[in-house]
Amino acid sequence: NIGDWSSDVCSSDLNHTISSNYIGGSSASCGGSAWTNNTTTGFYGIYLTIGTATASNIQGNTIQNISLTNTTTITGSKFYGIYINTGLVNVGTTTGNTIGHATTTGSISLSGFNSTPNSHIMIAGSLAFTGSRFENNLIANISYDGTSASTPAMYGITLNGNARKNNIYSIGTTSATPTPSIYGIAVIGSGGGELSNNFIALTGGSATNPTLYGVYDNTATGAIYNFYHNSINISGAAPTTASTYGFYRGSTSTSTYVLKNNIIANQRTTGGTGFQYGIYVATTGNFTSNYNDIFAAGTSSGPIGYYAATKNTFANWTAIPSDANSISTAPNFISSTTDLHLTSISLAAGNAALNA
């Protein structure tokens, strides 16, 4: 059952389960050639409008092997893998969902849409309701194939809740011409929660001037977010004017953030007029960071961070004061673009900072 609205659209009741479905392909289990279609509206793989008293579940679904072209300039034409309009939902908490494919390049390919495309979101949580959980999901090999000078926005997960053990990588364009903004996880809302043990690796694909955010925060007053044991890597060739960020806290964010025991690396080649930041904190205050590995590849154009001002070196950053027990060393990932497990137990011989 595949189409512009391709799975269940539920009423405002609760405790639904959507599990073990395959959306995409031309034969069983998303096999065969890609499901190819043109559309003049948006695409929703799974769409929910439900209640909040008891959590519903989206578990073990696969959305892949899709080639979608939008043939209109209508604002609002977007691609969503899983879209939660309203409600409390556990997404992947018992069995993770797959959007895209672990190894097949362009498992979901998008093209057309309007000249200034709207956001394409693989998993979109309800921003009006708190407490949903997004865990164990694989989001990988998603491509935007448009060749015009467009500005697509592509998101792995948007949420107002909790994200744990998700693996997000290889989201980008197949042409150098577009200038995309790509977000691994975007946290928006006022509910608070925990982001832990997520892997996020972004390069922008073939785009020569992408803006990349490993984690993007734009949360509101009263929210408390704990950010623990995540691994983020930004890599690729130097953009011309765009900046990239391992962790980004927006100018309107007034929530409380605690960052501990994370690896946040921006190993993108420096150059051009943009900056390649490890951490960027546009709004100061209510921000605690320690016991991390924070690394950026350069100095003036690859600063460790920003906190009221650019911090070009790790010594500048720790003088905030922040990260007194952290380190700054290039992590040795199994793959900087697809597998952020480390090749050795410790990041630096004899340094147990991240185990504190």
Side-chain angles (χ1 to χ4, degrees), residues 241-266:
T241 60
S243 295
T244 62
Y245 312 86
F247 175 92
Y248 180 93
R249 182 180 187 182
S251 60
T252 61
S253 174
T254 54
S255 59
T256 298
Y257 253 85
V258 179
L259 278 70
K260 288 187 177 180
N261 292 292
N262 302 285
I263 301 173
I264 303 174
N266 193 331

Side-chain angles (χ1 to χ4, degrees), residues 89-100:
V89 186
N90 294 325
V91 182
T93 50
T94 57
T95 306
N97 301 280
T98 296
I99 301 180

Side-chain angles (χ1 to χ4, degrees), residues 21 28 40 48 99 140 163 176 193 197 224 269 296 340 344:
N21 298 285
T40 58
L48 293 185
I99 301 180
N197 297 101
I224 299 175
T269 304
L340 299 189
S344 59

Side-chain angles (χ1 to χ4, degrees), residues 161-162 190-194 219-227 254-258:
N162 305 285
S190 59
E194 178 183 302
T219 49
T221 301
I224 299 175
Y225 277 94
N226 295 314
F227 192 76
T254 54
S255 59
T256 298
Y257 253 85
V258 179

Side-chain angles (χ1 to χ4, degrees), residues 17-33:
T17 296
I18 301 175
S19 63
S20 305
N21 298 285
Y22 290 90
I23 300 172
S26 56
S27 62
S29 303
C30 295
S33 58

Side-chain angles (χ1 to χ4, degrees), residues 308-331:
T310 297
K311 311 298 179 182
N312 287 328
T313 68
F314 190 62
N316 296 150
W317 177 259
T318 56
I320 291 174
S322 181
D323 288 287
N325 298 291
S326 295
I327 60 175
S328 182
T329 187

Side-chain angles (χ1 to χ4, degrees), residues 4-31:
D4 290 347
W5 300 72
S6 64
S7 193
D8 294 342
V9 181
C10 301
S11 62
S12 59
D13 53 359
L14 42 91
N15 198 23
H16 291 273
T17 296
I18 301 175
S19 63
S20 305
N21 298 285
Y22 290 90
I23 300 172
S26 56
S27 62
S29 303
C30 295

